Amino acid sequence: MGRLIIASNRTATPGVPRAGGLAVALKDALDERGGGVWFGWSGEILDRETRGVRLFAEGNVDFALADLTQEEHEGYYLGYANDALWPVFHYRVDLARFDEGAFEVYESVNRRFGRLLSQLLRPEDVVWVHDYHFLLLGRELRHNGWRGPIGFFLHVPFPAPEVFTALPHHYRLAHGLAEFDLLGFQTKRDTANFRRYMVEHHGAAVLEDGRIRVFGRTIRAEAFPIGTDAEDIAALAMGVQGVASAQRLGRIIENRALVVGVDRLDYSKGLLQKVQAFGRMLDDNEEMRERVTFLQIAPPSRETVETYQDLRDQLDRLVGRINSDYSDIDTTPIRYLARGYPREVLAGIYRLARAGLVTPLYDGMNLVAKEYVAAQDPEDPGVLVLSEFAGAAEQLSTALLVNPHDTAGVAANIRRALEMPLDERKERWQVLHEAVTREDIAWWRRRFLDALDEARPA
Ligand code: GDG
């Protein structure tokens, strides 16, 4: 079996213990195959271009890291990936900026990284590219003569063709995507969008076995819903630190039921709508005001981008308004913390929370939903309130599924979650738990790599 070569914008940090999740899963994948390379951006931004990659060996895995110049960071990362692709892939064409220069830099970084990566490849290797930063990396590897298998996994949604085509360069991106042999998406919905886009805009033919014939190539596109490290989360929730954090919070909130949300501070996560819905629940249900408290953890991301600063300002104001309406000398309805916490603390809090409120406007998967399920006490599980627009909704159908734009509906479901009888909570949770533990992160990576081993270039 050849080595596994992973390419992702950011890699795990060589030599530093991993907290869990994707970083551990990909490192396990590399180890399981007897070694390989994890290639990506070092996180360094330099004044001028450096040639080549820096290699760090960790056991039989090499981390190969390349730096970006200031201009590359602005055009490729901030400009095209985060300011054009991220909003369009999350159905926010209104927030996208289509800057010709940024696209050119995106293309040139993919070209340079493709060249650097191709120098590390050996004939039997298998390449696995991750996410929207590297849509053109497959094409660049082919330009550099690579004929072996290349898989691609998209962590964010693939939007409906009517939205994807808003990207002025979608045609070029489509050509790039067709150079991968296997395209993995989070959901059936995303896979269908991709297939429809290829058929309607590029005259693709879908073969009997589901493969797609387009631009003279035959490729596979399938759903590989990403999972979480469910057993680890459960163990953390019951571990010393998890229990201690839950006890500490439990003392503060006394006998109030806890509703919890954990989201990066990003407009795709529907934070404003969620807080509005919680406020609406308090407006509509006087008796609940004494009985419930909402903890929203929202670590800031992309803080230099204006849209993210605006979101932060709006959220600060909205939470402030609701708290000033409903706080009392000894109570605060919403605890909103714009910072991150260790995984152990999150796991303990998930287990304490009577309801998990995961209501993105659009999300590739949403791992918080799965982590919340994994952390519950089987004898007294909390209820997951989940957006129907999170990829996770395809697997987690016994959650309380909500439309995050429907403020009254979300408010009603928060209440329903808090009042749900134990039998129903258990029944719903058992189905969710079965899905989350069976289709966990190890299952995801193995399924993808098995499919990639079968998908030889045609
Ligand atoms: C992208 C896609 C897809 C959050 N706050 C803290 C913290 N987290 C952890 C969560 C979870 C992860 O970060 C976030 O994952 P999500 O899936 O919720 O969302 P994105 O960051 O947008 O990820 C998404 C994912 O890729 C994987 O394919 O599911 O759809 O958008 O694991 O627990 N972790 C710690 N402290 C925090 O404060 N330690």
Side-chain angles (χ1 to χ4, degrees):
M1 195 190 287
R3 299 178 310 167
L4 174 62
I5 313 296
I6 293 175
S8 55
N9 177 57
R10 294 308 306 275
T11 71
T13 313
V16 174
R18 270 112 230 163
L22 187 61
V24 170
L26 295 183
K27 180 64 169 45
D28 287 351
L30 289 159
D31 288 337
E32 215 167 86
R33 291 183 78 102
V37 178
W38 195 344
F39 170 82
W41 172 35
S42 62
E44 299 285 323
I45 304 164
L46 305 179
D47 293 339
R48 58 189 165 69
E49 190 175 309
T50 47
R51 302 271 149 225
V53 293
R54 277 175 284 138
L55 290 174
F56 302 86
E58 199 185 288
N60 52 11
V61 174
D62 283 330
F63 287 84
L65 305 181
D67 304 324
L68 292 177
T69 66
Q70 190 76 41
E71 190 202 351
E72 286 175 337
H73 181 247
E74 275 164 26
Y76 148 79
Y77 182 71
L78 297 175
Y80 199 69
N82 284 344
D83 245 3
L85 294 175
W86 177 272
V88 170
F89 282 26
H90 289 89
Y91 287 77
R92 292 301 303 269
V93 179
D94 58 316
L95 294 180
R97 285 200 304 144
F98 303 119
D99 180 280
E100 184 62 28
F103 178 74
E104 279 167 17
V105 178
Y106 177 86
E107 212 174 16
S108 78
V109 169
N110 272 258
R111 189 173 308 128
R112 185 164 78 81
F113 277 32
R115 200 167 56 235
L116 291 173
L117 181 55
S118 66
Q119 287 159 6
L120 302 171
L121 298 179
R122 299 180 196 152
E124 292 304 309
D125 289 346
V126 167
V127 183
W128 186 3
V129 177
H130 287 258
D131 229 358
Y132 60 100
H133 309 90
F134 288 149
L135 299 176
L136 300 176
L137 201 67
R139 182 188 79 175
E140 296 307 326
L141 291 176
R142 301 288 184 221
H143 279 172
N144 284 281
W146 174 248
R147 296 282 158 263
I150 318 178
F152 173 75
F153 184 76
L154 187 64
H155 290 258
V156 297
F158 191 89
E162 292 74 14
V163 172
F164 187 69
T165 49
L167 285 161
H169 297 287
H170 70 88
Y171 200 89
R172 302 255 278 281
L173 298 176
H175 269 273
L177 288 171
E179 294 296 340
F180 296 115
D181 302 297
L182 173 67
L183 289 112
F185 297 98
Q186 298 276 26
T187 60
K188 294 190 186 108
R189 168 193 76 189
D190 298 332
T191 314
N193 283 340
F194 174 76
R195 209 168 267 159
R196 185 157 75 81
Y197 167 70
M198 284 300 196
V199 168
E200 290 177 7
H201 291 268
H202 306 290
V206 179
L207 308 181
E208 256 174 37
D209 62 3
R211 286 182 306 161
I212 302 171
R213 182 91 196 136
V214 68
F215 303 134
R217 298 194 81 252
T218 306
I219 60 180
R220 277 179 71 179
E222 269 175 50
F224 297 89
I226 197 167
T228 188
D229 43 353
E231 282 177 16
D232 293 352
I233 300 277
L236 287 178
M238 289 182 284
V240 178
Q241 286 190 62
V243 170
S245 342
Q247 282 173 345
R248 184 170 157 230
L249 182 58
R251 276 196 299 274
I252 298 167
I253 63 172
E254 297 181 320
N255 52 357
R256 290 182 177 77
L258 178 68
V259 177
V260 74
V262 176
D263 306 84
R264 261 186 323 101
L265 227 163
D266 189 287
Y267 50 81
S268 66
K269 302 291 181 185
L271 282 155
L272 290 169
Q273 291 79 354
K274 168 160 43 171
V275 170
Q276 252 150 9
F278 186 78
R280 173 72 181 262
M281 200 274 298
L282 298 180
D283 293 341
D284 293 351
N285 301 279
E286 199 178 334
E287 73 288 2
M288 293 302 268
R289 294 177 201 159
E290 290 292 302
R291 288 173 34 200
V292 61
T293 185
F294 175 29
L295 171 67
Q296 175 63 51
I297 294 175
S301 61
R302 305 173 193 171
E303 286 167 276
T304 54
V305 180
E306 209 180 302
T307 330
Y308 288 75
Q309 293 163 358
D310 291 348
L311 172 64
R312 173 82 201 258
D313 291 346
Q314 290 178 49
L315 198 55
D316 289 356
R317 273 202 300 277
L318 184 62
V319 172
R321 205 225 2 104
I322 296 172
N323 274 344
S324 60
D325 278 349
Y326 292 118
S327 292
D328 210 330
I329 295 184
D330 55 350
T331 59
T332 309
I334 306 178
R335 286 182 174 74
Y336 150 57
L337 309 169
R339 52 171 286 202
Y341 285 84
R343 275 166 76 76
E344 298 74 8
V345 174
L346 294 184
I349 292 175
Y350 290 147
R351 194 173 173 97
L352 177 68
R354 179 61 50 235
L357 200 47
V358 182
T359 53
L361 305 182
Y362 241 97
D363 216 332
M365 177 54 59
N366 197 298
L367 291 177
V368 171
K370 295 186 171 182
E371 292 162 6
Y372 177 77
V373 169
Q376 295 309 301
D377 175 357
E379 297 310 318
D380 186 20
V383 178
L384 177 64
V385 179
L386 177 64
S387 163
E388 61 187 280
F389 304 121
E394 268 189 16
Q395 289 162 295
L396 305 183
S397 53
T398 59
L400 293 183
L401 294 182
V402 295
N403 171 356
H405 303 282
D406 173 11
T407 312
V410 177
N413 275 287
I414 297 172
R415 186 185 169 140
R416 183 172 171 207
L418 296 173
E419 293 183 335
M420 191 180 284
L422 179 62
D423 282 353
E424 185 181 351
R425 280 193 272 133
K426 276 187 174 171
E427 224 167 88
R428 287 176 178 271
W429 176 80
Q430 278 158 6
V431 180
L432 300 179
H433 185 248
E434 156 74 16
V436 163
T437 46
R438 190 187 55 234
E439 299 176 354
D440 68 357
I441 187 125
W443 169 88
W444 167 77
R445 69 172 163 80
R446 291 204 179 106
R447 250 190 93 226
F448 186 93
L449 288 172
D450 287 349
L452 182 55
D453 281 331
E454 282 170 25
R456 311 304 298 187

mmCIF file of all heavy atoms in Angstrom, residues 86 155-156 186 226 262 264 269 297 299 339-343 346 350 363-368 371, ligand 1:
data_model
loop_
_atom_site.group_PDB
_atom_site.id
_atom_site.type_symbol
_atom_site.label_atom_id
_atom_site.label_comp_id
_atom_site.label_asym_id
_atom_site.label_seq_id
_atom_site.Cartn_x
_atom_site.Cartn_y
_atom_site.Cartn_z
ATOM 1 N N TRP A 86 -16.236 31.101 0.908
ATOM 2 C CA TRP A 86 -16.975 30.798 2.152
ATOM 3 C C TRP A 86 -18.409 31.349 2.086
ATOM 4 O O TRP A 86 -19.369 30.591 2.290
ATOM 5 C CB TRP A 86 -16.210 31.303 3.380
ATOM 6 C CG TRP A 86 -16.947 31.074 4.664
ATOM 7 C CD1 TRP A 86 -17.860 31.900 5.252
ATOM 8 C CD2 TRP A 86 -16.884 29.901 5.503
ATOM 9 N NE1 TRP A 86 -18.360 31.337 6.403
ATOM 10 C CE2 TRP A 86 -17.783 30.113 6.575
ATOM 11 C CE3 TRP A 86 -16.167 28.701 5.450
ATOM 12 C CZ2 TRP A 86 -17.979 29.171 7.594
ATOM 13 C CZ3 TRP A 86 -16.362 27.769 6.465
ATOM 14 C CH2 TRP A 86 -17.258 28.005 7.527
ATOM 15 N N HIS A 155 -15.439 20.272 3.345
ATOM 16 C CA HIS A 155 -15.994 20.340 4.700
ATOM 17 C C HIS A 155 -17.220 21.248 4.789
ATOM 18 O O HIS A 155 -17.973 21.157 5.741
ATOM 19 C CB HIS A 155 -14.923 20.829 5.682
ATOM 20 C CG HIS A 155 -13.840 19.818 5.911
ATOM 21 N ND1 HIS A 155 -13.775 19.034 7.046
ATOM 22 C CD2 HIS A 155 -12.796 19.432 5.138
ATOM 23 C CE1 HIS A 155 -12.734 18.220 6.958
ATOM 24 N NE2 HIS A 155 -12.119 18.441 5.813
ATOM 25 N N VAL A 156 -17.364 22.126 3.828
ATOM 26 C CA VAL A 156 -18.483 23.084 3.842
ATOM 27 C C VAL A 156 -19.537 22.603 2.834
ATOM 28 O O VAL A 156 -19.262 21.687 2.057
ATOM 29 C CB VAL A 156 -17.990 24.514 3.506
ATOM 30 C CG1 VAL A 156 -17.007 25.008 4.568
ATOM 31 C CG2 VAL A 156 -17.339 24.569 2.133
ATOM 32 N N GLN A 186 -20.287 16.323 2.477
ATOM 33 C CA GLN A 186 -20.823 15.996 3.801
ATOM 34 C C GLN A 186 -22.164 15.275 3.715
ATOM 35 O O GLN A 186 -22.479 14.450 4.570
ATOM 36 C CB GLN A 186 -21.025 17.291 4.612
ATOM 37 C CG GLN A 186 -19.762 18.090 4.889
ATOM 38 C CD GLN A 186 -19.010 17.573 6.118
ATOM 39 O OE1 GLN A 186 -19.131 16.403 6.475
ATOM 40 N NE2 GLN A 186 -18.230 18.436 6.732
ATOM 41 N N ILE A 226 -18.964 13.565 7.918
ATOM 42 C CA ILE A 226 -17.884 13.516 8.913
ATOM 43 C C ILE A 226 -18.481 13.257 10.294
ATOM 44 O O ILE A 226 -19.600 13.695 10.586
ATOM 45 C CB ILE A 226 -17.034 14.808 8.879
ATOM 46 C CG1 ILE A 226 -15.694 14.601 9.600
ATOM 47 C CG2 ILE A 226 -17.773 15.978 9.486
ATOM 48 C CD1 ILE A 226 -14.688 15.716 9.349
ATOM 49 N N VAL A 262 -22.558 26.258 21.256
ATOM 50 C CA VAL A 262 -21.113 26.455 21.047
ATOM 51 C C VAL A 262 -20.900 26.631 19.548
ATOM 52 O O VAL A 262 -21.165 25.715 18.763
ATOM 53 C CB VAL A 262 -20.295 25.236 21.550
ATOM 54 C CG1 VAL A 262 -18.818 25.418 21.231
ATOM 55 C CG2 VAL A 262 -20.491 25.019 23.044
ATOM 56 N N ARG A 264 -18.347 28.824 16.503
ATOM 57 C CA ARG A 264 -17.432 29.884 16.098
ATOM 58 C C ARG A 264 -18.261 31.107 15.780
ATOM 59 O O ARG A 264 -19.365 30.988 15.236
ATOM 60 C CB ARG A 264 -16.679 29.464 14.827
ATOM 61 C CG ARG A 264 -15.313 28.939 15.074
ATOM 62 C CD ARG A 264 -14.517 28.665 13.827
ATOM 63 N NE ARG A 264 -15.270 28.150 12.717
ATOM 64 C CZ ARG A 264 -15.681 28.872 11.682
ATOM 65 N NH1 ARG A 264 -15.399 30.167 11.614
ATOM 66 N NH2 ARG A 264 -16.358 28.318 10.696
ATOM 67 N N LYS A 269 -23.414 30.558 11.331
ATOM 68 C CA LYS A 269 -23.868 29.790 12.493
ATOM 69 C C LYS A 269 -25.214 30.274 13.037
ATOM 70 O O LYS A 269 -25.748 29.675 13.974
ATOM 71 C CB LYS A 269 -22.818 29.818 13.597
ATOM 72 C CG LYS A 269 -21.450 29.283 13.177
ATOM 73 C CD LYS A 269 -21.461 27.786 12.914
ATOM 74 C CE LYS A 269 -20.084 27.275 12.529
ATOM 75 N NZ LYS A 269 -20.095 25.854 12.151
ATOM 76 N N ILE A 297 -21.282 29.863 24.042
ATOM 77 C CA ILE A 297 -19.838 30.030 23.893
ATOM 78 C C ILE A 297 -19.568 30.305 22.426
ATOM 79 O O ILE A 297 -20.037 29.559 21.551
ATOM 80 C CB ILE A 297 -19.105 28.765 24.374
ATOM 81 C CG1 ILE A 297 -19.322 28.632 25.887
ATOM 82 C CG2 ILE A 297 -17.612 28.826 24.038
ATOM 83 C CD1 ILE A 297 -18.769 27.370 26.495
ATOM 84 N N PRO A 299 -16.290 31.433 20.345
ATOM 85 C CA PRO A 299 -14.937 31.926 20.114
ATOM 86 C C PRO A 299 -14.855 32.732 18.817
ATOM 87 O O PRO A 299 -15.330 32.263 17.778
ATOM 88 C CB PRO A 299 -14.079 30.659 20.023
ATOM 89 C CG PRO A 299 -15.004 29.503 20.079
ATOM 90 C CD PRO A 299 -16.381 29.974 20.366
ATOM 91 N N ARG A 339 -15.167 33.653 23.770
ATOM 92 C CA ARG A 339 -13.837 33.053 23.932
ATOM 93 C C ARG A 339 -13.965 31.535 23.873
ATOM 94 O O ARG A 339 -15.050 30.993 23.980
ATOM 95 C CB ARG A 339 -13.209 33.483 25.250
ATOM 96 C CG ARG A 339 -14.098 33.256 26.451
ATOM 97 C CD ARG A 339 -13.370 33.491 27.750
ATOM 98 N NE ARG A 339 -12.457 32.399 28.029
ATOM 99 C CZ ARG A 339 -12.012 32.096 29.242
ATOM 100 N NH1 ARG A 339 -12.384 32.811 30.282
ATOM 101 N NH2 ARG A 339 -11.199 31.084 29.446
ATOM 102 N N GLY A 340 -12.817 30.870 23.671
ATOM 103 C CA GLY A 340 -12.829 29.415 23.595
ATOM 104 C C GLY A 340 -12.551 28.778 24.947
ATOM 105 O O GLY A 340 -12.022 29.426 25.853
ATOM 106 N N TYR A 341 -12.945 27.522 25.086
ATOM 107 C CA TYR A 341 -12.696 26.754 26.303
ATOM 108 C C TYR A 341 -12.099 25.405 25.943
ATOM 109 O O TYR A 341 -12.338 24.893 24.844
ATOM 110 C CB TYR A 341 -14.018 26.545 27.063
ATOM 111 C CG TYR A 341 -14.449 27.800 27.765
ATOM 112 C CD1 TYR A 341 -15.167 28.778 27.072
ATOM 113 C CD2 TYR A 341 -14.092 28.051 29.072
ATOM 114 C CE1 TYR A 341 -15.525 29.966 27.681
ATOM 115 C CE2 TYR A 341 -14.445 29.237 29.696
ATOM 116 C CZ TYR A 341 -15.160 30.193 28.997
ATOM 117 O OH TYR A 341 -15.488 31.368 29.608
ATOM 118 N N PRO A 342 -11.380 24.785 26.871
ATOM 119 C CA PRO A 342 -10.838 23.442 26.585
ATOM 120 C C PRO A 342 -11.962 22.435 26.324
ATOM 121 O O PRO A 342 -13.069 22.577 26.847
ATOM 122 C CB PRO A 342 -10.082 23.086 27.869
ATOM 123 C CG PRO A 342 -9.872 24.366 28.599
ATOM 124 C CD PRO A 342 -10.974 25.287 28.191
ATOM 125 N N ARG A 343 -11.645 21.426 25.536
ATOM 126 C CA ARG A 343 -12.637 20.399 25.181
ATOM 127 C C ARG A 343 -13.270 19.721 26.394
ATOM 128 O O ARG A 343 -14.446 19.374 26.384
ATOM 129 C CB ARG A 343 -11.950 19.299 24.352
ATOM 130 C CG ARG A 343 -11.868 19.594 22.890
ATOM 131 C CD ARG A 343 -10.901 18.644 22.208
ATOM 132 N NE ARG A 343 -11.424 17.287 21.984
ATOM 133 C CZ ARG A 343 -12.293 16.967 21.040
ATOM 134 N NH1 ARG A 343 -12.752 17.892 20.236
ATOM 135 N NH2 ARG A 343 -12.710 15.730 20.875
ATOM 136 N N LEU A 346 -15.988 21.944 27.676
ATOM 137 C CA LEU A 346 -17.161 21.886 26.796
ATOM 138 C C LEU A 346 -17.933 20.593 27.021
ATOM 139 O O LEU A 346 -19.159 20.596 27.132
ATOM 140 C CB LEU A 346 -16.742 21.965 25.322
ATOM 141 C CG LEU A 346 -16.101 23.265 24.837
ATOM 142 C CD1 LEU A 346 -15.856 23.192 23.336
ATOM 143 C CD2 LEU A 346 -16.955 24.470 25.177
ATOM 144 N N TYR A 350 -21.787 20.275 28.045
ATOM 145 C CA TYR A 350 -22.786 19.601 27.187
ATOM 146 C C TYR A 350 -23.624 18.638 28.031
ATOM 147 O O TYR A 350 -24.835 18.539 27.896
ATOM 148 C CB TYR A 350 -22.104 18.752 26.100
ATOM 149 C CG TYR A 350 -21.394 19.484 24.986
ATOM 150 C CD1 TYR A 350 -20.241 18.926 24.409
ATOM 151 C CD2 TYR A 350 -21.871 20.684 24.460
ATOM 152 C CE1 TYR A 350 -19.578 19.551 23.353
ATOM 153 C CE2 TYR A 350 -21.204 21.310 23.419
ATOM 154 C CZ TYR A 350 -20.069 20.746 22.868
ATOM 155 O OH TYR A 350 -19.413 21.351 21.831
ATOM 156 N N ASP A 363 -24.660 24.841 7.227
ATOM 157 C CA ASP A 363 -23.445 24.267 7.796
ATOM 158 C C ASP A 363 -23.141 22.972 7.066
ATOM 159 O O ASP A 363 -24.060 22.189 6.794
ATOM 160 C CB ASP A 363 -23.682 23.973 9.291
ATOM 161 C CG ASP A 363 -22.440 24.228 10.131
ATOM 162 O OD1 ASP A 363 -21.331 24.112 9.584
ATOM 163 O OD2 ASP A 363 -22.593 24.535 11.326
ATOM 164 N N GLY A 364 -21.867 22.757 6.744
ATOM 165 C CA GLY A 364 -21.478 21.521 6.065
ATOM 166 C C GLY A 364 -21.990 20.324 6.852
ATOM 167 O O GLY A 364 -22.779 19.514 6.365
ATOM 168 N N MET A 365 -21.524 20.202 8.100
ATOM 169 C CA MET A 365 -21.999 19.137 8.989
ATOM 170 C C MET A 365 -22.496 19.750 10.280
ATOM 171 O O MET A 365 -23.646 19.779 10.590
ATOM 172 C CB MET A 365 -20.856 18.139 9.253
ATOM 173 C CG MET A 365 -21.197 17.037 10.217
ATOM 174 S SD MET A 365 -22.674 16.102 9.776
ATOM 175 C CE MET A 365 -22.258 15.467 8.177
ATOM 176 N N ASN A 366 -21.601 20.264 11.071
ATOM 177 C CA ASN A 366 -21.725 20.765 12.431
ATOM 178 C C ASN A 366 -21.413 19.658 13.431
ATOM 179 O O ASN A 366 -22.249 18.799 13.740
ATOM 180 C CB ASN A 366 -23.067 21.400 12.765
ATOM 181 C CG ASN A 366 -22.919 22.233 14.037
ATOM 182 O OD1 ASN A 366 -22.605 21.698 15.102
ATOM 183 N ND2 ASN A 366 -23.061 23.538 13.911
ATOM 184 N N LEU A 367 -20.206 19.707 13.922
ATOM 185 C CA LEU A 367 -19.742 18.667 14.838
ATOM 186 C C LEU A 367 -20.205 18.904 16.266
ATOM 187 O O LEU A 367 -20.289 17.962 17.055
ATOM 188 C CB LEU A 367 -18.215 18.562 14.780
ATOM 189 C CG LEU A 367 -17.689 17.993 13.458
ATOM 190 C CD1 LEU A 367 -16.168 17.984 13.439
ATOM 191 C CD2 LEU A 367 -18.227 16.577 13.232
ATOM 192 N N VAL A 368 -20.543 20.158 16.582
ATOM 193 C CA VAL A 368 -21.020 20.431 17.940
ATOM 194 C C VAL A 368 -22.288 19.617 18.212
ATOM 195 O O VAL A 368 -22.469 19.063 19.308
ATOM 196 C CB VAL A 368 -21.260 21.948 18.137
ATOM 197 C CG1 VAL A 368 -21.967 22.222 19.449
ATOM 198 C CG2 VAL A 368 -19.932 22.701 18.080
ATOM 199 N N GLU A 371 -21.189 16.209 19.093
ATOM 200 C CA GLU A 371 -20.496 16.195 20.384
ATOM 201 C C GLU A 371 -21.514 16.297 21.525
ATOM 202 O O GLU A 371 -21.380 15.634 22.554
ATOM 203 C CB GLU A 371 -19.499 17.361 20.466
ATOM 204 C CG GLU A 371 -18.319 17.187 19.504
ATOM 205 C CD GLU A 371 -17.552 18.485 19.243
ATOM 206 O OE1 GLU A 371 -17.838 19.519 19.882
ATOM 207 O OE2 GLU A 371 -16.653 18.460 18.380
HETATM 208 C C1 GDG B 1 -16.125 23.171 9.364
HETATM 209 C C2 GDG B 1 -17.520 23.202 8.733
HETATM 210 C C3 GDG B 1 -17.897 20.867 9.539
HETATM 211 C C4 GDG B 1 -15.766 25.242 19.086
HETATM 212 N N1 GDG B 1 -15.542 26.098 20.098
HETATM 213 C C5 GDG B 1 -14.560 25.560 20.833
HETATM 214 C C6 GDG B 1 -14.156 24.360 20.236
HETATM 215 N N2 GDG B 1 -14.918 24.192 19.177
HETATM 216 C C7 GDG B 1 -14.853 23.007 18.322
HETATM 217 C C8 GDG B 1 -16.146 22.235 18.371
HETATM 218 C C9 GDG B 1 -16.101 21.455 17.076
HETATM 219 C C10 GDG B 1 -15.317 22.402 16.163
HETATM 220 O O1 GDG B 1 -14.648 23.336 16.991
HETATM 221 C C11 GDG B 1 -16.253 23.196 15.264
HETATM 222 O O2 GDG B 1 -16.697 22.360 14.282
HETATM 223 P P1 GDG B 1 -18.048 22.654 13.513
HETATM 224 O O3 GDG B 1 -18.371 21.433 12.755
HETATM 225 O O4 GDG B 1 -19.108 22.996 14.502
HETATM 226 O O5 GDG B 1 -17.811 23.929 12.610
HETATM 227 P P2 GDG B 1 -16.621 24.639 11.720
HETATM 228 O O6 GDG B 1 -15.537 25.140 12.568
HETATM 229 O O7 GDG B 1 -17.337 25.677 10.931
HETATM 230 O O8 GDG B 1 -16.069 23.478 10.755
HETATM 231 C C12 GDG B 1 -18.475 22.290 9.500
HETATM 232 C C13 GDG B 1 -16.464 20.879 10.028
HETATM 233 O O9 GDG B 1 -15.660 21.797 9.272
HETATM 234 C C14 GDG B 1 -15.829 19.481 9.913
HETATM 235 O O10 GDG B 1 -15.910 18.996 8.616
HETATM 236 O O11 GDG B 1 -18.687 20.095 10.426
HETATM 237 O O12 GDG B 1 -19.740 22.263 8.870
HETATM 238 O O13 GDG B 1 -18.044 24.535 8.710
HETATM 239 O O14 GDG B 1 -15.380 20.275 17.220
HETATM 240 O O15 GDG B 1 -16.190 21.463 19.544
HETATM 241 N N3 GDG B 1 -13.177 23.564 20.726
HETATM 242 C C15 GDG B 1 -12.562 23.990 21.855
HETATM 243 N N4 GDG B 1 -12.902 25.154 22.473
HETATM 244 C C16 GDG B 1 -13.892 25.958 21.998
HETATM 245 O O16 GDG B 1 -14.194 26.989 22.610
HETATM 246 N N5 GDG B 1 -11.593 23.239 22.388
#
